[in-house]
Amino acid sequence: MKYKVIDNFLPSGYFKDIKNILMSNNFACIKDDKSDLSFYNVIYGADRPLSNFDDKLLEFKKELSLTSSIKIRADMYPRTPKFKRHFWVNEFDVSHKGALFFINTNDGVTILETQNGKVEIDSVENRILIYDPTQLFAITTCTNQKVRVTLNFNYV
Amino acid sequence: MEKTEYKIYDNFLDKEDFQTIKNLMESETFPWYYIADVSHVGQSERDHRNYFYMIHYFYDGSMPKSNHIHQLKPLLDKLKAKSFIRIKGNLYPNFQENEPDEPHIDYDFSHKAAIFYLNNNNGPTILEDQTEIECKENRLLLFDGSKPHDSKYCTDAPYRLNININFF
């Protein structure tokens, strides 16, 4: 799997705005029944914005050179005493790009399968990981912060 | 210490009404909101760093705050309240730690507080006189919300789920 990591992806002020919204008590999250306990918000899906937060991502999408969104989802994983691994599966059978944006710094990792073996990407705030979403990968929960929060983009 | 006055009502709602409310709050359409600081948790650095919970306001500031409030009708009707102060859903994740929190009060004036438990778990509510009330689904605990009380996170279920109602 080819991948790219870019640190300090967004200008600091804009990043703080995004982070403050996602980690505020005004941002609605749905409990995910498919995992032990996590929360999510689908910001864009089914060919349309599903949250007003999509408007806040206009500059983000420009930085990402995003032409068209397929799905944008925020995820929040509560901390666990030990790392728990969650496998992510590509939902889409069309060729597209994936980007995982880290909202907070924590000790959870993202695991990619590459030709050279497994690679672990640390969760560092304002870091983006561009990855091939047609390949399987996994994430772990964190143990040193209250939550692990990310924004995941499927796009062309 | 003076004994804290409280009442417990088991099987408070009909099975069907209870299940409707529980299903609502456990569903994948019910919005939760992240609260980073658990006010009633001790403010030590460790606690401040480690704990959070999720809430859903049904009613606050003298007005409904949720489109789902009508789904609580069987519960609210049965309380025979004259006036509601706040109705709030709480979801406390299981952190595999259940040390007691710092006691807190809901409001500083005498009023009725009800905690309606939606799932069975080992995170009790602890009243001022240290009486521990077990979280048992479809149980309602009634006490004076101006009296100190606290709780523990659970360790034997994915989360502790309840509705906290302050009223007259």
Side-chain angles (χ1 to χ4, degrees):
Chain A
M1 178 194 267
K2 288 181 183 170
Y3 69 93
K4 193 174 172 184
V5 172
I6 306 168
D7 284 331
N8 301 310
F9 182 68
L10 296 180
S12 150
Y14 181 42
F15 170 72
K16 279 180 187 165
D17 289 346
I18 298 283
K19 180 176 180 174
N20 287 343
I21 293 170
L22 285 176
M23 298 189 74
S24 77
N25 58 7
N26 289 315
F27 189 76
C29 300
I30 301 298
K31 187 170 73 64
D32 192 344
D33 281 340
K34 296 175 197 71
S35 65
D36 292 337
L37 180 63
S38 66
F39 300 89
Y40 69 92
N41 183 320
V42 178
I43 295 151
Y44 188 100
D47 298 322
R48 64 183 187 280
L50 298 173
S51 159
N52 293 338
F53 183 67
D54 191 64
D55 295 342
K56 300 277 182 194
L57 297 176
L58 202 61
E59 290 301 313
F60 196 119
K61 291 174 183 179
K62 281 183 190 165
E63 295 280 350
L64 203 53
S65 302
L66 182 152
T67 308
S68 178
S69 302
I70 298 172
K71 189 173 184 180
I72 304 172
R73 171 175 157 141
D75 284 286
M76 177 181 279
Y77 288 89
R79 77 173 167 87
T80 48
K82 291 179 182 174
F83 295 106
K84 275 193 176 176
R85 193 174 283 199
H86 293 266
F87 290 95
W88 283 23
V89 181
N90 176 40
E91 299 172 52
F92 308 103
D93 56 7
V94 293
S95 174
H96 69 287
K97 296 174 188 168
L100 189 63
F101 184 65
F102 301 95
I103 299 296
N104 69 328
T105 300
N106 60 76
D107 63 357
V109 294
T110 302
I111 303 159
L112 303 176
E113 296 276 4
T114 72
Q115 286 178 335
N116 300 324
K118 285 181 180 161
V119 174
E120 290 191 358
I121 310 294
D122 290 337
S123 301
V124 177
E125 70 171 27
N126 205 6
R127 164 177 284 182
I128 198 162
L129 164 66
I130 314 286
Y131 66 94
D132 175 359
T134 61
Q135 303 292 316
L136 287 177
F137 74 106
I139 63 114
T140 71
T141 55
C142 68
T143 68
N144 68 343
Q145 294 295 320
K146 294 173 186 177
V147 286
R148 172 191 163 127
V149 182
T150 53
L151 266 180
N152 191 43
F153 295 76
N154 294 97
Y155 66 105
V156 288
Chain B
M1 180 180 285
E2 201 175 308
K3 197 163 164 45
T4 306
E5 285 184 25
Y6 69 92
K7 282 180 182 168
I8 287 176
Y9 302 90
D10 282 332
N11 301 309
F12 187 65
L13 293 184
D14 293 344
K15 219 170 186 175
E16 195 179 326
D17 288 336
F18 168 75
Q19 205 58 50
T20 300
I21 294 173
K22 182 173 178 172
N23 289 349
L24 164 73
M25 291 179 63
E26 291 192 320
S27 78
E28 281 210 59
T29 56
F30 188 78
W32 289 100
Y33 297 85
Y34 175 68
I35 300 294
D37 295 308
V38 182
S39 61
H40 58 280
V41 171
Q43 293 301 302
S44 68
E45 183 60 33
R46 181 185 153 280
D47 285 347
H48 186 71
R49 190 185 70 236
N50 283 335
Y51 293 97
F52 76 93
Y53 73 130
M54 306 296 281
I55 65 162
H56 178 104
Y57 278 113
F58 289 100
Y59 187 95
D60 193 34
S62 304
M63 64 178 78
K65 295 284 186 186
S66 166
N67 293 332
H68 296 288
I69 191 167
H70 66 279
Q71 285 161 284
L72 301 187
K73 192 173 185 307
L75 171 63
L76 303 183
D77 283 352
K78 213 163 172 187
L79 290 175
K80 300 191 188 315
K82 292 182 181 69
S83 175
F84 289 105
I85 303 166
R86 186 180 68 187
I87 305 169
K88 186 163 71 89
N90 300 307
L91 187 157
Y92 300 85
N94 174 348
F95 293 114
Q96 289 298 320
E97 295 163 19
N98 66 349
E99 295 162 28
D101 303 336
E102 290 294 317
H104 70 282
I105 57 170
D106 291 348
Y107 293 95
D108 61 6
F109 47 84
S110 182
H111 68 284
K112 291 175 183 168
I115 300 178
F116 185 57
Y117 301 101
L118 290 161
N119 68 335
N120 296 320
N121 63 76
N122 66 350
T125 302
I126 306 166
L127 301 175
E128 189 178 18
D129 65 358
Q130 299 306 304
T131 301
E132 294 200 355
I133 310 296
E134 192 185 344
C135 289
K136 200 174 162 190
E137 67 173 28
N138 205 6
R139 164 175 283 182
L140 186 105
L141 165 66
L142 201 58
F143 62 104
D144 183 342
S146 69
K147 303 287 184 194
H149 56 281
D150 60 278
S151 61
K152 291 179 182 175
Y153 281 78
C154 69
T155 60
D156 66 345
Y159 45 80
R160 182 158 58 97
L161 189 65
N162 63 41
I163 301 172
N164 184 194
I165 306 159
N166 299 97
F167 65 104
F168 294 108

